Amino acid sequence: MIMNRTEVLKKAREAHRENIRRSLQHRLEVARAKGDENLIRQLEAEMRYFG
């Protein structure tokens, strides 16, 4: 199936957003394990921004 440009861009945006979300989740887990409260707050704010 050939996707049009709009569909390709939408898929790319979704993949990029999911990669950001996964990265933030991992960074948040590491920050929690280390007990870095400042970084935890910052990452939680970023998670809220990216939904």
Side-chain angles (χ1 to χ4, degrees):
M1 179 173 110
I2 299 174
M3 290 191 268
N4 67 33
R5 180 176 167 81
T6 303
E7 291 170 342
V8 170
L9 290 173
K10 182 180 176 184
K11 293 274 187 199
R13 278 193 305 269
E14 289 170 0
H16 182 64
R17 219 170 152 79
E18 180 59 23
N19 287 337
I20 290 172
R21 191 199 63 75
R22 274 197 307 256
S23 175
L24 281 171
Q25 185 61 43
H26 173 71
R27 291 169 59 208
L28 186 54
E29 290 170 9
V30 172
R32 285 181 176 145
K34 290 182 176 182
D36 189 336
E37 294 298 323
N38 289 329
L39 184 54
I40 291 168
R41 280 193 296 279
Q42 180 180 358
L43 292 170
E44 285 174 341
E46 286 184 48
M47 289 287 283
R48 285 190 297 276
Y49 176 79
F50 284 104

